Amino acid sequence: PVRVPARAQCGLRERVAVTLFAGERIMGYIWLQETGDGFGPDVDYVLKGSVARASAELIRHRNQQSVHMREDRIVRILSGSAEAAASAYSEKISAGRPAALILIGMPDSEAQADDAALKHGELANLASIHAAAYKASAVVGQFKGDTAVIVPGLQSTAAEPGLRSLAESIVRDAGKHLGISPFAAVGPVVPDLLSLHSTTRITEALLSCVGTSSDRGVATVDDFEGEILCRE
């Protein structure tokens, strides 16, 4: 991101710009101008996630791929080892490194509202920006009515604190910018992408526990281990 100083004589406040690339090809730019109290401290972080997200969308648009194909990628990866291997190969995603699944749900009152479909889309787009800033190869889409974030290529299986922070950022900004109250389940980190499907059931159970808890927010399996065992 490049900062552009304010030009009071032209009525322009400070701006920040960033370029969208596909390899060496420039695909466009994103500009922001200050409003209100000015830029927040995380403006560079958000812009980096935004360009990663926007570049991927522009490339998929050029290839005439639809949103449904992005959702299909989630289903394929979580269907089993063979499907995950095929998806990883076609999408050039690291299959041999640790991976994790994050599921994000909405309260029943919001999920059944008239604008629920719009909110689901906005939540997925917000999650995509944060996920792309965290890991450019992250895959975001819908899974059984919830927003799913697959984070492949982790450095180690001890990545849970970072994943929790990612989920907390999504939940916090959804409340701040979208006016909704989502909650998230951070599934167990597995040794490789091909075994990620084995965590789907426990991550769904965890999301259900968080959704029915009086203290909704972000949780890992350790937070609700007893409740998950009782459900099993």
Side-chain angles (χ1 to χ4, degrees):
V2 177
R3 297 294 180 115
V4 183
R7 296 180 61 186
Q9 67 274 23
C10 298
L12 295 174
R13 297 185 61 178
E14 183 183 358
R15 289 150 289 159
V16 58
V18 68
T19 310
L20 283 72
F21 285 99
E24 296 299 319
R25 181 183 302 180
I26 295 176
M27 303 184 70
Y29 307 89
I30 297 176
W31 284 79
L32 295 180
Q33 181 175 236
E34 279 189 330
T35 59
D37 295 329
F39 292 128
D42 61 345
V43 63
D44 286 3
Y45 172 83
V46 172
L47 267 180
K48 289 176 183 177
S50 297
V51 294
R53 164 75 170 154
S55 295
E57 286 300 315
L58 286 173
I59 291 169
R60 276 195 283 271
H61 179 72
R62 286 193 174 195
N63 292 339
Q64 297 182 337
Q65 292 181 321
S66 68
V67 174
H68 297 293
M69 293 188 69
R70 185 182 67 193
E71 295 176 359
D72 288 345
R73 292 166 67 197
I74 294 284
V75 175
R76 287 184 68 193
I77 293 173
L78 298 179
S79 294
S81 299
E83 292 83 357
S87 182
Y89 179 80
S90 63
E91 299 291 337
K92 304 297 186 290
I93 299 173
S94 174
R97 300 194 65 84
L101 169 66
I102 299 173
L103 291 178
I104 307 169
M106 292 168 55
D108 290 341
S109 59
E110 295 177 358
Q112 296 169 5
D114 292 338
D115 61 348
L118 175 63
K119 294 300 185 184
H120 273 296
E122 291 178 335
L123 178 58
N125 285 332
L126 177 67
S128 295
I129 290 173
H130 279 281
Y134 183 84
K135 196 75 176 177
S137 57
V139 181
V140 180
Q142 299 293 319
F143 183 72
K144 297 184 180 180
D146 296 312
T147 299
V149 181
I150 293 177
V151 187
L154 295 170
Q155 294 301 310
S156 73
T157 54
E160 188 177 280
L163 294 169
R164 185 172 191 137
S165 294
L166 169 62
E168 288 172 344
S169 297
I170 295 170
V171 168
R172 181 188 65 246
D173 278 4
K176 181 179 179 181
H177 300 296
L178 303 181
I180 58 177
S181 306
F183 47 91
V186 180
V189 179
V190 293
D192 54 66
L193 187 67
L194 306 187
S195 54
L196 187 60
H197 66 94
S198 65
T199 69
T200 303
R201 182 173 173 179
I202 193 171
T203 308
E204 288 182 286
L206 174 60
L207 185 68
S208 180
C209 288
V210 181
T212 55
S213 170
S214 58
D215 183 24
R216 289 196 184 102
V218 176
T220 63
V221 173
D222 289 343
D223 296 321
F224 286 93
E225 187 172 10
E227 288 87 342
I228 293 172
L229 288 172
C230 285
R231 287 172 182 264
E232 290 294 321

